[in-house]
Amino acid sequence: MGFTVYEIAQLIGGEIIGNAALQLDSLCKIQEATPGSVTFLANPSYEKYLYTTQASAVIIDKKFKPAHPLSASLILVEDPYIGFTKVLNKYQSLLNTPKIGIEEPNYLGNHVTLGEGIYRGAFSYIGDYVQLGKGVQIYPHTYIGAHAVVGENTIIYSGARIYPGCQVGKNCIIHAGAVIGSDGFGFAPQATGSYQKIPQIGNVILEDDVEIGANTTVDRATMGNTRIQAGTKIDNLVQIAHNVEIGKNTVIAALTGIAGSAKIGDSCVLGGQVGVAGHTEMGDKTMVAGQAGVTKSYKAGNITLMGMPAIERKKFLREYAIFRQLKNLFSATKSS
Amino acid sequence: MGFTVYEIAQLIGGEIIGNAALQLDSLCKIQEATPGSVTFLANPSYEKYLYTTQASAVIIDKKFKPAHPLSASLILVEDPYIGFTKVLNKYQSLLNTPKIGIEEPNYLGNHVTLGEGIYRGAFSYIGDYVQLGKGVQIYPHTYIGAHAVVGENTIIYSGARIYPGCQVGKNCIIHAGAVIGSDGFGFAPQATGSYQKIPQIGNVILEDDVEIGANTTVDRATMGNTRIQAGTKIDNLVQIAHNVEIGKNTVIAALTGIAGSAKIGDSCVLGGQVGVAGHTEMGDKTMVAGQAGVTKSYKAGNITLMGMPAIERKKFLREYAIFRQLKNLFSATKSS
Amino acid sequence: MGFTVYEIAQLIGGEIIGNAALQLDSLCKIQEATPGSVTFLANPSYEKYLYTTQASAVIIDKKFKPAHPLSASLILVEDPYIGFTKVLNKYQSLLNTPKIGIEEPNYLGNHVTLGEGIYRGAFSYIGDYVQLGKGVQIYPHTYIGAHAVVGENTIIYSGARIYPGCQVGKNCIIHAGAVIGSDGFGFAPQATGSYQKIPQIGNVILEDDVEIGANTTVDRATMGNTRIQAGTKIDNLVQIAHNVEIGKNTVIAALTGIAGSAKIGDSCVLGGQVGVAGHTEMGDKTMVAGQAGVTKSYKAGNITLMGMPAIERKKFLREYAIFRQLKNLFSATKSS
């Protein structure tokens, strides 16, 4: 498989400086690039690699002025990162054609609705009354409980589990081992000290274009829905508790936990290992630094939070600076 | 499926104010309730919803005095939360009858002991010498290793793994993807810098009425047992290391890690993302706030811990207040 | 199964004080030992148990001088922990012979290369062009994607998932539910506020003697490799992001997250729930305390880090001490 510099420039709407006919056969990071590859430069701190890279072509910002002479051909674009992503997508679509067809053995319940062009891997389990849209790819060992719905072109990787009655939108990707719709963690303390399980009769709704990472868990609602809105991307090993609602185009990094009934807005970004307390509300465009613990609501959004308990970033950094000054003052007093 | 207000009042021993013959067909939260539904009011901060809810009936504290007129019928009880939970249980028992019977294909080893009324889902794997009590439900893709024992009426959801020789009590629930009995994390450093694996020849014992969340892991003991006592409830994505012992009726929230040989008492409550250091001991009725790191023993119990390293809550809040005062003092000094 | 004291002394090169002919039939911890068992004493804080243990034999440091008379036979060695581990290994090798043979049904793709003496459990899935070395043990419900390679004598427990194209070395152990090769978490923000998935066309390489804990996730590289070098041991529920590189003989405890493109050196030890920021570099022999957040590079290594943001341990403890003094000073000022 290969592209010419010309073909790539055509694909991403770029302007060529150098040899348009050059043949390229791989995609690399700039610091690891091999001859015959195409790479990109988006982050200015990687500019140093530009002058030594072995890549044959570099996708680069059209406003960029090189400080030294270059051996690679350049493809000038508005946004090199988006441009390179387009090439990656093209490359992957040539490599990975969608899986289709039925492997045996598999289990298919009664009253199942199946769209066209579906893949059902060996040992996949599709319960009664399940609806699978066209082009759905169900990898081996996947479990889809009764009455669940999976939208068009969604990919469910090996060993993911969709509990009964849950709904997954179109063009979603659910990675291996993810669990959608396990019981919410709700127990009523009894006078004896033991706990009685509170039935969890709600469900989970994942809207379109949602990605769920490997071994991530999304609990069903006690009543009503746990809902993740369109375009939201969730990393590996994240816990989403019962009745949580997450807005559109929000990104949540690995090992984060969102406790019960919390509401997260649109276009938020949560770092890794963040904790969000139950029944709190986080407005749109909230950023949360890794390991922060959000213990109360920040409904207005448009804020960056850090620390445990999480406070506004500016405040956090100011307090940290004051602490350092106090410390120095104290050390000076002692030594004087 | 439906209940009358009268039937619900009978079920939970409540007194009716309003229309006893009213037909109810769903259960909702008070702020989301639809006409024809029954809801409850337990948390006083939700009282505002009582005057606008569309629910047809509300389960409520018998000592409650409404501040405004109400349209819904009331069912008066001692504890509205417990009362509503009873209704939820009744509703769920009508909806979800226990699964029973054998789906094909499945794998059944030799010398297996099977109680009556068992469900074994497609692609479930039951190793040699396994014992399954009556009414056990084994969902698809579940793995039960040789010589494991599962008590009566326990439910093991899809893709849970019970390693050989582990014991699960009666009336337990193990959610999808949970792993019980993987090797403890023990390695002996060698002179060369490499690590030699220490064989993990112990097992895991889960007593009766234990619930284990989705993708939670419980490691087998190096020698002896990792033990979780009766009535303890563990959320999703929790790590329980080798030789940990957890008492009765303890509750552990998601993403918490308990390191090797730690002992946790009865009736403790651990928040999300808590870390507990190895070989520490935590007495009965210890509460640990989310994200706290418990680095030493608190054997006496009856304490609330916060922070990293975790200290008593009162002390933590006092130190935090002093820090704030110091900061203000310092800021005042600078601006004066 | 049993050993005499003499046989154990032979096995571990120890000297006997007491009855060499004594028959031993189990291995225990010193504080839980039963008559007829062998145990060991390595940690001086457990010496108190030595005088009351019911063990029949104790493996002990040859320089140790007992403070009180002992009933157990002693086996004197240079390093009692390593000695006892040898006995454990011997015991386990007698108990657990490697699994071998094929259980039905299972799925075997085309063009698969199979070594001798392989175990393939029921419902295991081996994709096209997979290569399995001799003595590989594939437990039930395991998924090995197309073109993956698994080296000699590696054990893959139930329900682990190896995505297509990933490489696992010799003598590795991959525990239940682990996911190797899921997509890296990479998305390009679009002008509309939505995210476009960046194809993840790299892979994962696990070198020889690596152990991966239950439900741990290791993402494939965007381009190139996510690589874990020989002898590294990773606990349960750990997240290793795309393009991470981890050196040799490094140990990582549960619930730790390593963000994208981070580099971890050789012989590091990371505690539980540690977070490591993306694109940082950690030198050889770095120790990181549990729950620490490593936000920048420490390339020189040979350092112990604590806190969030993580700083050198000595510095952390000094600052903590100063804070305590400040607090006392402040309290004194107020009460004077």
Side-chain angles (χ1 to χ4, degrees), chain B:
Chain B
M1 181 170 48
F3 309 95
T4 61
V5 169
Y6 176 78
E7 285 166 340
I8 289 179
Q10 288 292 104
L11 177 69
I12 67 177
E15 189 187 332
I16 300 167
I17 299 183
N19 181 357
L22 208 62
Q23 193 70 27
L24 306 171
D25 60 9
S26 64
L27 290 78
C28 292
K29 292 198 266 188
I30 195 163
Q31 69 272 39
E32 299 170 352
T34 47
S37 70
V38 55
T39 187
F40 72 112
L41 175 65
N43 182 338
S45 70
Y46 283 71
E47 185 185 332
K48 60 188 172 194
Y49 297 114
L50 180 65
Y51 308 108
T52 57
T53 186
Q54 298 192 55
S56 299
V58 182
I59 298 170
I60 202 162
D61 189 326
K62 66 184 185 185
K63 291 186 295 291
F64 179 80
K65 306 283 176 218
H68 306 286
L70 299 173
S71 60
S73 293
L74 297 183
I75 303 170
L76 308 180
V77 293
E78 195 80 40
D79 185 328
Y81 188 53
I82 289 180
F84 189 73
T85 302
K86 281 184 190 159
V87 183
L88 264 173
N89 275 308
K90 183 71 182 175
Y91 185 87
Q92 201 189 40
S93 71
L94 295 172
L95 266 184
N96 297 355
T97 47
K99 276 182 164 295
I100 191 165
I102 315 298
E103 293 169 352
E104 298 291 344
N106 67 77
Y107 181 94
L108 189 65
N110 297 313
H111 312 290
V112 174
T113 307
L114 296 171
E116 290 177 15
I118 286 176
Y119 167 57
R120 288 191 290 119
F123 316 121
S124 61
Y125 183 100
I126 311 290
D128 297 343
Y129 297 99
V130 165
Q131 299 173 44
L132 302 181
K134 68 180 182 190
V136 163
Q137 298 176 56
I138 305 289
Y139 274 69
H141 308 116
T142 291
Y143 166 82
I144 317 266
H147 295 278
V149 178
V150 179
E152 291 175 22
N153 299 318
T154 282
I155 303 174
I156 304 185
Y157 282 104
S158 178
R161 320 278 161 197
I162 316 287
Y163 275 55
C166 294
Q167 297 173 31
V168 179
K170 299 176 187 174
N171 303 309
C172 292
I173 298 175
I174 299 184
H175 278 283
V179 176
I180 309 298
S182 39
D183 284 350
F185 195 62
F187 302 92
Q190 307 295 295
T192 59
S194 70
Y195 288 93
Q196 193 186 347
K197 183 175 177 67
I198 299 170
Q200 304 289 315
I201 64 172
N203 72 352
V204 175
I205 298 176
L206 306 182
E207 296 185 358
D208 299 344
D209 301 304
V210 166
E211 185 158 340
I212 300 287
N215 286 346
T216 278
T217 57
V218 183
D219 279 351
R220 69 196 309 112
T222 309
M223 292 173 284
N225 315 119
T226 302
R227 180 184 292 268
I228 299 178
Q229 291 186 42
T232 283
K233 312 297 184 186
I234 297 181
D235 200 356
N236 299 345
L237 294 170
V238 170
Q239 152 71 352
I240 308 291
H242 51 175
N243 291 94
V244 165
E245 296 177 24
I246 302 178
K248 294 187 207 313
N249 299 322
T250 278
V251 172
I252 300 180
L255 290 161
T256 284
I258 314 287
S261 300
K263 288 186 182 158
I264 311 283
D266 295 346
S267 303
C268 296
V269 177
L270 279 66
Q273 295 175 323
V274 164
V276 177
H279 296 272
T280 60
E281 197 171 334
M282 189 183 285
D284 297 346
K285 299 191 180 169
T286 304
M287 311 277 134
V288 186
Q291 295 194 331
V294 182
T295 57
K296 59 174 195 171
S297 293
Y298 287 90
K299 293 188 187 181
N302 276 292
I303 192 175
T304 298
L305 301 171
M306 293 185 84
M308 168 60 190
I311 54 176
E312 193 179 359
R313 183 171 181 274
K314 276 183 224 162
K315 219 163 143 188
F316 181 88
L317 296 176
R318 200 158 59 224
E319 296 202 351
Y320 194 72
I322 286 172
F323 173 71
R324 302 229 133 215
Q325 285 178 286
L326 272 171
K327 193 197 77 179
N328 295 339
L329 187 71
F330 184 75
S331 304
T333 314
K334 284 196 72 176
S335 50
S336 68

Side-chain angles (χ1 to χ4, degrees), chain A residues 324 327, chain C residues 311-320:
Chain A
R324 302 230 133 215
K327 195 198 76 179
Chain C
I311 56 177
E312 193 178 359
R313 183 170 181 275
K314 276 182 223 162
K315 219 164 144 189
F316 181 89
L317 296 177
R318 200 159 57 226
E319 296 202 351
Y320 195 72

Side-chain angles (χ1 to χ4, degrees), chain C residues 28-48:
Chain C
C28 293
K29 292 200 264 185
I30 194 163
Q31 69 274 38
E32 299 169 353
T34 48
S37 70
V38 55
T39 186
F40 72 111
L41 176 66
N43 183 338
S45 70
Y46 284 71
E47 185 185 332
K48 60 188 174 195

Side-chain angles (χ1 to χ4, degrees), chain A residues 7 26 30 35-36 42 59 67 91 124 135 150 167 169 194 206 211 222 226 244 247 265 283 303 332:
Chain A
E7 285 166 340
S26 64
I30 194 164
I59 299 169
Y91 185 87
S124 60
V150 179
Q167 297 173 32
S194 71
L206 307 182
E211 184 158 340
T222 309
T226 302
V244 165
I303 191 175

Side-chain angles (χ1 to χ4, degrees), chain A residues 29 46 81 89 103 123 140-141 157-158 161 175-176 211 215 233 235-236 249 251 273 291 324 327 334, chain C residues 123-125 143 161 163 177 185 193 196-199 215 217 219 239 243 255 274-275 292-293 308 319:
Chain A
K29 292 199 266 188
Y46 283 72
Y81 189 53
N89 275 308
E103 293 169 352
F123 316 121
H141 308 116
Y157 282 104
S158 178
R161 320 279 161 197
H175 279 284
E211 184 158 340
N215 286 345
K233 312 297 184 186
D235 200 355
N236 299 345
N249 300 321
V251 172
Q273 296 176 321
Q291 295 194 329
R324 302 230 133 215
K327 195 198 76 179
K334 283 196 71 175
Chain C
F123 316 121
S124 61
Y125 183 100
Y143 166 81
R161 320 279 161 197
Y163 275 55
F185 194 63
Q196 193 185 348
K197 183 174 177 67
I198 299 170
N215 286 346
T217 57
D219 280 351
Q239 152 72 351
N243 291 94
L255 290 161
V274 163
M308 168 61 189
E319 296 202 351

Side-chain angles (χ1 to χ4, degrees), chain C residues 62-262:
Chain C
K62 66 185 182 183
K63 292 187 294 293
F64 179 79
K65 304 284 174 216
H68 306 287
L70 299 173
S71 60
S73 293
L74 298 183
I75 303 169
L76 308 179
V77 293
E78 195 81 38
D79 185 328
Y81 188 53
I82 289 179
F84 189 73
T85 303
K86 282 184 190 158
V87 183
L88 265 174
N89 276 307
K90 183 71 181 175
Y91 185 87
Q92 201 188 39
S93 72
L94 295 173
L95 265 184
N96 298 356
T97 46
K99 276 182 165 295
I100 192 165
I102 315 298
E103 293 169 352
E104 298 291 344
N106 68 76
Y107 182 94
L108 189 65
N110 297 314
H111 312 290
V112 174
T113 306
L114 297 171
E116 290 178 17
I118 286 176
Y119 167 57
R120 289 190 290 119
F123 316 121
S124 61
Y125 183 100
I126 311 290
D128 296 344
Y129 297 98
V130 165
Q131 298 173 45
L132 302 182
K134 69 178 181 191
V136 163
Q137 299 175 55
I138 304 289
Y139 275 70
H141 308 115
T142 291
Y143 166 81
I144 316 266
H147 295 278
V149 177
V150 179
E152 291 175 24
N153 299 318
T154 282
I155 303 174
I156 304 186
Y157 283 104
S158 179
R161 320 279 161 197
I162 316 286
Y163 275 55
C166 294
Q167 296 173 31
V168 179
K170 299 176 188 174
N171 304 309
C172 292
I173 298 175
I174 298 185
H175 279 285
V179 176
I180 310 298
S182 38
D183 284 350
F185 194 63
F187 301 91
Q190 306 296 294
T192 58
S194 71
Y195 287 93
Q196 193 185 348
K197 183 174 177 67
I198 299 170
Q200 304 290 314
I201 65 171
N203 72 352
V204 175
I205 297 175
L206 307 182
E207 296 185 356
D208 299 343
D209 301 304
V210 167
E211 184 158 341
I212 300 288
N215 286 346
T216 278
T217 57
V218 183
D219 280 351
R220 67 196 309 111
T222 309
M223 294 174 282
N225 315 119
T226 303
R227 180 184 293 267
I228 299 178
Q229 290 187 42
T232 283
K233 312 297 185 187
I234 297 182
D235 200 357
N236 300 344
L237 294 169
V238 170
Q239 152 72 351
I240 307 291
H242 51 177
N243 291 94
V244 164
E245 296 178 23
I246 302 179
K248 295 188 209 309
N249 299 321
T250 277
V251 172
I252 300 181
L255 290 161
T256 285
I258 314 287
S261 299

